[in-house]
PDB file of all heavy atoms in Angstrom:
ATOM      1  N   ALA A   1      -9.639   5.977 -10.096  1.00  0.00           N
ATOM      2  CA  ALA A   1      -9.081   7.086  -9.309  1.00  0.00           C
ATOM      3  C   ALA A   1      -8.634   6.599  -7.936  1.00  0.00           C
ATOM      4  O   ALA A   1      -7.558   6.966  -7.455  1.00  0.00           O
ATOM      5  CB  ALA A   1     -10.097   8.214  -9.179  1.00  0.00           C
ATOM      6  N   SER A   2      -9.449   5.760  -7.285  1.00  0.00           N
ATOM      7  CA  SER A   2      -9.082   5.213  -5.979  1.00  0.00           C
ATOM      8  C   SER A   2      -7.839   4.342  -6.099  1.00  0.00           C
ATOM      9  O   SER A   2      -6.908   4.439  -5.299  1.00  0.00           O
ATOM     10  CB  SER A   2     -10.254   4.406  -5.398  1.00  0.00           C
ATOM     11  OG  SER A   2      -9.925   3.871  -4.138  1.00  0.00           O
ATOM     12  N   HIS A   3      -7.830   3.495  -7.110  1.00  0.00           N
ATOM     13  CA  HIS A   3      -6.675   2.630  -7.369  1.00  0.00           C
ATOM     14  C   HIS A   3      -5.426   3.474  -7.625  1.00  0.00           C
ATOM     15  O   HIS A   3      -4.363   3.216  -7.043  1.00  0.00           O
ATOM     16  CB  HIS A   3      -6.980   1.743  -8.576  1.00  0.00           C
ATOM     17  CG  HIS A   3      -5.846   0.880  -8.995  1.00  0.00           C
ATOM     18  ND1 HIS A   3      -5.624  -0.361  -8.467  1.00  0.00           N
ATOM     19  CD2 HIS A   3      -4.835   1.100  -9.879  1.00  0.00           C
ATOM     20  CE1 HIS A   3      -4.540  -0.883  -9.012  1.00  0.00           C
ATOM     21  NE2 HIS A   3      -4.040  -0.019  -9.873  1.00  0.00           N
ATOM     22  N   GLN A   4      -5.556   4.475  -8.461  1.00  0.00           N
ATOM     23  CA  GLN A   4      -4.408   5.302  -8.831  1.00  0.00           C
ATOM     24  C   GLN A   4      -3.855   6.066  -7.641  1.00  0.00           C
ATOM     25  O   GLN A   4      -2.651   6.294  -7.545  1.00  0.00           O
ATOM     26  CB  GLN A   4      -4.770   6.269  -9.966  1.00  0.00           C
ATOM     27  CG  GLN A   4      -3.571   6.956 -10.570  1.00  0.00           C
ATOM     28  CD  GLN A   4      -2.592   5.973 -11.197  1.00  0.00           C
ATOM     29  OE1 GLN A   4      -2.985   5.077 -11.950  1.00  0.00           O
ATOM     30  NE2 GLN A   4      -1.311   6.135 -10.893  1.00  0.00           N
ATOM     31  N   GLU A   5      -4.734   6.439  -6.722  1.00  0.00           N
ATOM     32  CA  GLU A   5      -4.281   7.130  -5.516  1.00  0.00           C
ATOM     33  C   GLU A   5      -3.265   6.272  -4.756  1.00  0.00           C
ATOM     34  O   GLU A   5      -2.234   6.774  -4.301  1.00  0.00           O
ATOM     35  CB  GLU A   5      -5.482   7.456  -4.632  1.00  0.00           C
ATOM     36  CG  GLU A   5      -5.180   8.319  -3.460  1.00  0.00           C
ATOM     37  CD  GLU A   5      -6.419   8.677  -2.669  1.00  0.00           C
ATOM     38  OE1 GLU A   5      -7.459   8.006  -2.804  1.00  0.00           O
ATOM     39  OE2 GLU A   5      -6.326   9.637  -1.885  1.00  0.00           O
ATOM     40  N   ALA A   6      -3.546   4.973  -4.632  1.00  0.00           N
ATOM     41  CA  ALA A   6      -2.609   4.069  -3.964  1.00  0.00           C
ATOM     42  C   ALA A   6      -1.318   3.934  -4.766  1.00  0.00           C
ATOM     43  O   ALA A   6      -0.225   4.006  -4.208  1.00  0.00           O
ATOM     44  CB  ALA A   6      -3.246   2.700  -3.752  1.00  0.00           C
ATOM     45  N   ILE A   7      -1.437   3.761  -6.068  1.00  0.00           N
ATOM     46  CA  ILE A   7      -0.266   3.590  -6.924  1.00  0.00           C
ATOM     47  C   ILE A   7       0.619   4.838  -6.885  1.00  0.00           C
ATOM     48  O   ILE A   7       1.845   4.748  -6.855  1.00  0.00           O
ATOM     49  CB  ILE A   7      -0.689   3.253  -8.366  1.00  0.00           C
ATOM     50  CG1 ILE A   7      -1.424   1.906  -8.393  1.00  0.00           C
ATOM     51  CG2 ILE A   7       0.490   3.258  -9.314  1.00  0.00           C
ATOM     52  CD1 ILE A   7      -0.659   0.748  -7.806  1.00  0.00           C
ATOM     53  N   ASP A   8      -0.016   6.007  -6.865  1.00  0.00           N
ATOM     54  CA  ASP A   8       0.761   7.248  -6.800  1.00  0.00           C
ATOM     55  C   ASP A   8       1.580   7.326  -5.509  1.00  0.00           C
ATOM     56  O   ASP A   8       2.640   7.941  -5.482  1.00  0.00           O
ATOM     57  CB  ASP A   8      -0.161   8.463  -6.901  1.00  0.00           C
ATOM     58  CG  ASP A   8      -0.719   8.662  -8.303  1.00  0.00           C
ATOM     59  OD1 ASP A   8      -0.225   8.028  -9.256  1.00  0.00           O
ATOM     60  OD2 ASP A   8      -1.681   9.455  -8.433  1.00  0.00           O
ATOM     61  N   LEU A   9       1.080   6.696  -4.451  1.00  0.00           N
ATOM     62  CA  LEU A   9       1.788   6.716  -3.172  1.00  0.00           C
ATOM     63  C   LEU A   9       2.912   5.690  -3.083  1.00  0.00           C
ATOM     64  O   LEU A   9       3.923   5.927  -2.415  1.00  0.00           O
ATOM     65  CB  LEU A   9       0.808   6.491  -2.020  1.00  0.00           C
ATOM     66  CG  LEU A   9      -0.172   7.627  -1.736  1.00  0.00           C
ATOM     67  CD1 LEU A   9      -1.241   7.175  -0.747  1.00  0.00           C
ATOM     68  CD2 LEU A   9       0.570   8.844  -1.205  1.00  0.00           C
ATOM     69  N   VAL A  10       2.739   4.532  -3.736  1.00  0.00           N
ATOM     70  CA  VAL A  10       3.707   3.446  -3.544  1.00  0.00           C
ATOM     71  C   VAL A  10       4.388   2.946  -4.816  1.00  0.00           C
ATOM     72  O   VAL A  10       5.334   2.174  -4.734  1.00  0.00           O
ATOM     73  CB  VAL A  10       3.067   2.233  -2.818  1.00  0.00           C
ATOM     74  CG1 VAL A  10       2.661   2.588  -1.423  1.00  0.00           C
ATOM     75  CG2 VAL A  10       1.905   1.668  -3.608  1.00  0.00           C
ATOM     76  N   GLY A  11       3.895   3.303  -5.975  1.00  0.00           N
ATOM     77  CA  GLY A  11       4.453   2.780  -7.221  1.00  0.00           C
ATOM     78  C   GLY A  11       3.654   1.583  -7.704  1.00  0.00           C
ATOM     79  O   GLY A  11       2.777   1.084  -7.007  1.00  0.00           O
ATOM     80  N   ASP A  12       3.968   1.119  -8.916  1.00  0.00           N
ATOM     81  CA  ASP A  12       3.140   0.059  -9.499  1.00  0.00           C
ATOM     82  C   ASP A  12       3.747  -1.332  -9.404  1.00  0.00           C
ATOM     83  O   ASP A  12       3.224  -2.276  -9.968  1.00  0.00           O
ATOM     84  CB  ASP A  12       2.779   0.385 -10.943  1.00  0.00           C
ATOM     85  CG  ASP A  12       3.988   0.444 -11.857  1.00  0.00           C
ATOM     86  OD1 ASP A  12       5.121   0.259 -11.375  1.00  0.00           O
ATOM     87  OD2 ASP A  12       3.794   0.678 -13.053  1.00  0.00           O
ATOM     88  N   ASP A  13       4.846  -1.490  -8.681  1.00  0.00           N
ATOM     89  CA  ASP A  13       5.424  -2.824  -8.512  1.00  0.00           C
ATOM     90  C   ASP A  13       5.019  -3.406  -7.162  1.00  0.00           C
ATOM     91  O   ASP A  13       5.818  -4.010  -6.449  1.00  0.00           O
ATOM     92  CB  ASP A  13       6.947  -2.794  -8.682  1.00  0.00           C
ATOM     93  CG  ASP A  13       7.641  -1.883  -7.685  1.00  0.00           C
ATOM     94  OD1 ASP A  13       6.962  -1.037  -7.076  1.00  0.00           O
ATOM     95  OD2 ASP A  13       8.866  -2.026  -7.515  1.00  0.00           O
ATOM     96  N   VAL A  14       3.756  -3.216  -6.808  1.00  0.00           N
ATOM     97  CA  VAL A  14       3.198  -3.672  -5.541  1.00  0.00           C
ATOM     98  C   VAL A  14       1.886  -4.395  -5.801  1.00  0.00           C
ATOM     99  O   VAL A  14       1.499  -4.609  -6.941  1.00  0.00           O
ATOM    100  CB  VAL A  14       2.957  -2.487  -4.571  1.00  0.00           C
ATOM    101  CG1 VAL A  14       4.254  -1.774  -4.256  1.00  0.00           C
ATOM    102  CG2 VAL A  14       1.934  -1.526  -5.137  1.00  0.00           C
ATOM    103  N   GLY A  15       1.207  -4.732  -4.747  1.00  0.00           N
ATOM    104  CA  GLY A  15      -0.127  -5.303  -4.825  1.00  0.00           C
ATOM    105  C   GLY A  15      -0.943  -4.761  -3.674  1.00  0.00           C
ATOM    106  O   GLY A  15      -0.696  -3.652  -3.210  1.00  0.00           O
ATOM    107  N   THR A  16      -1.893  -5.547  -3.208  1.00  0.00           N
ATOM    108  CA  THR A  16      -2.656  -5.144  -2.032  1.00  0.00           C
ATOM    109  C   THR A  16      -2.167  -5.993  -0.870  1.00  0.00           C
ATOM    110  O   THR A  16      -1.764  -7.138  -1.076  1.00  0.00           O
ATOM    111  CB  THR A  16      -4.171  -5.322  -2.216  1.00  0.00           C
ATOM    112  OG1 THR A  16      -4.469  -6.693  -2.382  1.00  0.00           O
ATOM    113  CG2 THR A  16      -4.685  -4.528  -3.374  1.00  0.00           C
ATOM    114  N   PRO A  17      -2.194  -5.450   0.298  1.00  0.00           N
ATOM    115  CA  PRO A  17      -2.744  -4.169   0.726  1.00  0.00           C
ATOM    116  C   PRO A  17      -1.733  -3.037   0.585  1.00  0.00           C
ATOM    117  O   PRO A  17      -0.529  -3.265   0.513  1.00  0.00           O
ATOM    118  CB  PRO A  17      -3.026  -4.406   2.205  1.00  0.00           C
ATOM    119  CG  PRO A  17      -1.911  -5.325   2.624  1.00  0.00           C
ATOM    120  CD  PRO A  17      -1.702  -6.247   1.442  1.00  0.00           C
ATOM    121  N   VAL A  18      -2.260  -1.815   0.573  1.00  0.00           N
ATOM    122  CA  VAL A  18      -1.448  -0.612   0.698  1.00  0.00           C
ATOM    123  C   VAL A  18      -1.956   0.116   1.932  1.00  0.00           C
ATOM    124  O   VAL A  18      -3.158   0.325   2.088  1.00  0.00           O
ATOM    125  CB  VAL A  18      -1.539   0.286  -0.552  1.00  0.00           C
ATOM    126  CG1 VAL A  18      -0.909   1.647  -0.298  1.00  0.00           C
ATOM    127  CG2 VAL A  18      -0.891  -0.407  -1.749  1.00  0.00           C
ATOM    128  N   VAL A  19      -1.048   0.460   2.812  1.00  0.00           N
ATOM    129  CA  VAL A  19      -1.387   1.167   4.045  1.00  0.00           C
ATOM    130  C   VAL A  19      -0.625   2.482   4.058  1.00  0.00           C
ATOM    131  O   VAL A  19       0.585   2.511   3.789  1.00  0.00           O
ATOM    132  CB  VAL A  19      -1.028   0.320   5.293  1.00  0.00           C
ATOM    133  CG1 VAL A  19      -1.224   1.113   6.565  1.00  0.00           C
ATOM    134  CG2 VAL A  19      -1.865  -0.955   5.322  1.00  0.00           C
ATOM    135  N   SER A  20      -1.327   3.557   4.361  1.00  0.00           N
ATOM    136  CA  SER A  20      -0.720   4.879   4.459  1.00  0.00           C
ATOM    137  C   SER A  20      -0.808   5.368   5.897  1.00  0.00           C
ATOM    138  O   SER A  20      -1.872   5.303   6.513  1.00  0.00           O
ATOM    139  CB  SER A  20      -1.451   5.865   3.532  1.00  0.00           C
ATOM    140  OG  SER A  20      -0.934   7.167   3.686  1.00  0.00           O
ATOM    141  N   VAL A  21       0.324   5.830   6.412  1.00  0.00           N
ATOM    142  CA  VAL A  21       0.403   6.377   7.764  1.00  0.00           C
ATOM    143  C   VAL A  21       0.983   7.779   7.648  1.00  0.00           C
ATOM    144  O   VAL A  21       2.109   7.938   7.169  1.00  0.00           O
ATOM    145  CB  VAL A  21       1.299   5.505   8.674  1.00  0.00           C
ATOM    146  CG1 VAL A  21       1.446   6.131  10.042  1.00  0.00           C
ATOM    147  CG2 VAL A  21       0.769   4.090   8.764  1.00  0.00           C
ATOM    148  N   ASP A  22       0.210   8.764   8.054  1.00  0.00           N
ATOM    149  CA  ASP A  22       0.665  10.155   8.005  1.00  0.00           C
ATOM    150  C   ASP A  22       1.204  10.539   6.625  1.00  0.00           C
ATOM    151  O   ASP A  22       2.236  11.207   6.506  1.00  0.00           O
ATOM    152  CB  ASP A  22       1.729  10.417   9.077  1.00  0.00           C
ATOM    153  CG  ASP A  22       1.174  10.253  10.489  1.00  0.00           C
ATOM    154  OD1 ASP A  22      -0.029  10.536  10.690  1.00  0.00           O
ATOM    155  OD2 ASP A  22       1.939   9.843  11.383  1.00  0.00           O
ATOM    156  N   GLY A  23       0.517  10.068   5.573  1.00  0.00           N
ATOM    157  CA  GLY A  23       0.894  10.430   4.216  1.00  0.00           C
ATOM    158  C   GLY A  23       2.006   9.603   3.599  1.00  0.00           C
ATOM    159  O   GLY A  23       2.361   9.801   2.445  1.00  0.00           O
ATOM    160  N   VAL A  24       2.576   8.676   4.358  1.00  0.00           N
ATOM    161  CA  VAL A  24       3.611   7.771   3.841  1.00  0.00           C
ATOM    162  C   VAL A  24       2.974   6.402   3.678  1.00  0.00           C
ATOM    163  O   VAL A  24       2.420   5.858   4.627  1.00  0.00           O
ATOM    164  CB  VAL A  24       4.820   7.689   4.797  1.00  0.00           C
ATOM    165  CG1 VAL A  24       5.846   6.699   4.270  1.00  0.00           C
ATOM    166  CG2 VAL A  24       5.437   9.063   4.995  1.00  0.00           C
ATOM    167  N   ALA A  25       3.047   5.856   2.468  1.00  0.00           N
ATOM    168  CA  ALA A  25       2.368   4.596   2.181  1.00  0.00           C
ATOM    169  C   ALA A  25       3.363   3.484   1.881  1.00  0.00           C
ATOM    170  O   ALA A  25       4.459   3.726   1.373  1.00  0.00           O
ATOM    171  CB  ALA A  25       1.410   4.769   1.017  1.00  0.00           C
ATOM    172  N   PHE A  26       2.926   2.274   2.209  1.00  0.00           N
ATOM    173  CA  PHE A  26       3.704   1.069   1.957  1.00  0.00           C
ATOM    174  C   PHE A  26       2.793  -0.010   1.392  1.00  0.00           C
ATOM    175  O   PHE A  26       1.613  -0.053   1.709  1.00  0.00           O
ATOM    176  CB  PHE A  26       4.290   0.498   3.263  1.00  0.00           C
ATOM    177  CG  PHE A  26       5.203   1.424   3.987  1.00  0.00           C
ATOM    178  CD1 PHE A  26       4.782   2.098   5.117  1.00  0.00           C
ATOM    179  CD2 PHE A  26       6.506   1.623   3.551  1.00  0.00           C
ATOM    180  CE1 PHE A  26       5.622   2.942   5.810  1.00  0.00           C
ATOM    181  CE2 PHE A  26       7.358   2.474   4.230  1.00  0.00           C
ATOM    182  CZ  PHE A  26       6.918   3.136   5.358  1.00  0.00           C
ATOM    183  N   PHE A  27       3.381  -0.893   0.585  1.00  0.00           N
ATOM    184  CA  PHE A  27       2.727  -2.159   0.270  1.00  0.00           C
ATOM    185  C   PHE A  27       2.893  -3.021   1.510  1.00  0.00           C
ATOM    186  O   PHE A  27       3.995  -3.257   1.970  1.00  0.00           O
ATOM    187  CB  PHE A  27       3.392  -2.802  -0.947  1.00  0.00           C
ATOM    188  CG  PHE A  27       3.046  -4.256  -1.125  1.00  0.00           C
ATOM    189  CD1 PHE A  27       1.739  -4.678  -1.195  1.00  0.00           C
ATOM    190  CD2 PHE A  27       4.052  -5.196  -1.227  1.00  0.00           C
ATOM    191  CE1 PHE A  27       1.428  -6.023  -1.367  1.00  0.00           C
ATOM    192  CE2 PHE A  27       3.754  -6.543  -1.401  1.00  0.00           C
ATOM    193  CZ  PHE A  27       2.437  -6.953  -1.469  1.00  0.00           C
ATOM    194  N   GLY A  28       1.782  -3.433   2.078  1.00  0.00           N
ATOM    195  CA  GLY A  28       1.838  -4.251   3.272  1.00  0.00           C
ATOM    196  C   GLY A  28       1.416  -3.476   4.493  1.00  0.00           C
ATOM    197  O   GLY A  28       0.877  -2.381   4.367  1.00  0.00           O
ATOM    198  N   PRO A  29       1.632  -4.015   5.654  1.00  0.00           N
ATOM    199  CA  PRO A  29       2.392  -5.235   5.881  1.00  0.00           C
ATOM    200  C   PRO A  29       1.629  -6.485   5.422  1.00  0.00           C
ATOM    201  O   PRO A  29       0.418  -6.554   5.534  1.00  0.00           O
ATOM    202  CB  PRO A  29       2.594  -5.255   7.395  1.00  0.00           C
ATOM    203  CG  PRO A  29       1.476  -4.454   7.956  1.00  0.00           C
ATOM    204  CD  PRO A  29       1.146  -3.429   6.913  1.00  0.00           C
ATOM    205  N   VAL A  30       2.383  -7.423   4.883  1.00  0.00           N
ATOM    206  CA  VAL A  30       1.861  -8.719   4.488  1.00  0.00           C
ATOM    207  C   VAL A  30       2.139  -9.656   5.654  1.00  0.00           C
ATOM    208  O   VAL A  30       3.298  -9.891   5.991  1.00  0.00           O
ATOM    209  CB  VAL A  30       2.538  -9.211   3.190  1.00  0.00           C
ATOM    210  CG1 VAL A  30       2.105 -10.625   2.856  1.00  0.00           C
ATOM    211  CG2 VAL A  30       2.222  -8.249   2.047  1.00  0.00           C
ATOM    212  N   VAL A  31       1.081 -10.117   6.298  1.00  0.00           N
ATOM    213  CA  VAL A  31       1.208 -10.906   7.523  1.00  0.00           C
ATOM    214  C   VAL A  31       0.373 -12.171   7.435  1.00  0.00           C
ATOM    215  O   VAL A  31      -0.674 -12.192   6.797  1.00  0.00           O
ATOM    216  CB  VAL A  31       0.782 -10.085   8.764  1.00  0.00           C
ATOM    217  CG1 VAL A  31       1.748  -8.954   9.026  1.00  0.00           C
ATOM    218  CG2 VAL A  31      -0.628  -9.544   8.612  1.00  0.00           C
ATOM    219  N   SER A  32       0.847 -13.216   8.078  1.00  0.00           N
ATOM    220  CA  SER A  32       0.102 -14.465   8.125  1.00  0.00           C
ATOM    221  C   SER A  32       0.543 -15.259   9.341  1.00  0.00           C
ATOM    222  O   SER A  32       1.712 -15.607   9.446  1.00  0.00           O
ATOM    223  CB  SER A  32       0.366 -15.292   6.861  1.00  0.00           C
ATOM    224  OG  SER A  32      -0.426 -16.451   6.846  1.00  0.00           O
ATOM    225  N   PRO A  33      -0.380 -15.460  10.264  1.00  0.00           N
ATOM    226  CA  PRO A  33      -1.751 -14.947  10.333  1.00  0.00           C
ATOM    227  C   PRO A  33      -1.755 -13.487  10.782  1.00  0.00           C
ATOM    228  O   PRO A  33      -0.705 -12.917  11.111  1.00  0.00           O
ATOM    229  CB  PRO A  33      -2.399 -15.835  11.392  1.00  0.00           C
ATOM    230  CG  PRO A  33      -1.276 -16.195  12.310  1.00  0.00           C
ATOM    231  CD  PRO A  33      -0.058 -16.314  11.422  1.00  0.00           C
ATOM    232  N   ALA A  34      -2.937 -12.901  10.806  1.00  0.00           N
ATOM    233  CA  ALA A  34      -3.078 -11.517  11.267  1.00  0.00           C
ATOM    234  C   ALA A  34      -2.715 -11.447  12.742  1.00  0.00           C
ATOM    235  O   ALA A  34      -3.282 -12.169  13.562  1.00  0.00           O
ATOM    236  CB  ALA A  34      -4.512 -11.040  11.061  1.00  0.00           C
ATOM    237  N   PRO A  35      -1.747 -10.598  13.104  1.00  0.00           N
ATOM    238  CA  PRO A  35      -1.380 -10.500  14.521  1.00  0.00           C
ATOM    239  C   PRO A  35      -2.501  -9.867  15.338  1.00  0.00           C
ATOM    240  O   PRO A  35      -3.280  -9.065  14.832  1.00  0.00           O
ATOM    241  CB  PRO A  35      -0.132  -9.619  14.522  1.00  0.00           C
ATOM    242  CG  PRO A  35      -0.049  -8.997  13.192  1.00  0.00           C
ATOM    243  CD  PRO A  35      -0.930  -9.745  12.261  1.00  0.00           C
TER     244      PRO A  35
END
């Protein structure tokens, strides 16, 4: 259920991380190194 919640927000052609801001979610940001 937790996993599906993320997928429902961004789709299944993503990975981790998923970040949601004000109900809008994205895969990422993917950063290296962490700013």
Side-chain angles (χ1 to χ4, degrees):
S2 180
H3 176 88
Q4 191 61 47
E5 188 177 18
I7 296 304
D8 288 347
L9 290 170
V10 295
D12 64 359
D13 60 343
V14 299
T16 64
V18 169
V19 173
S20 176
V21 176
D22 296 328
V24 177
F26 300 104
F27 164 55
V30 174
V31 293
S32 185

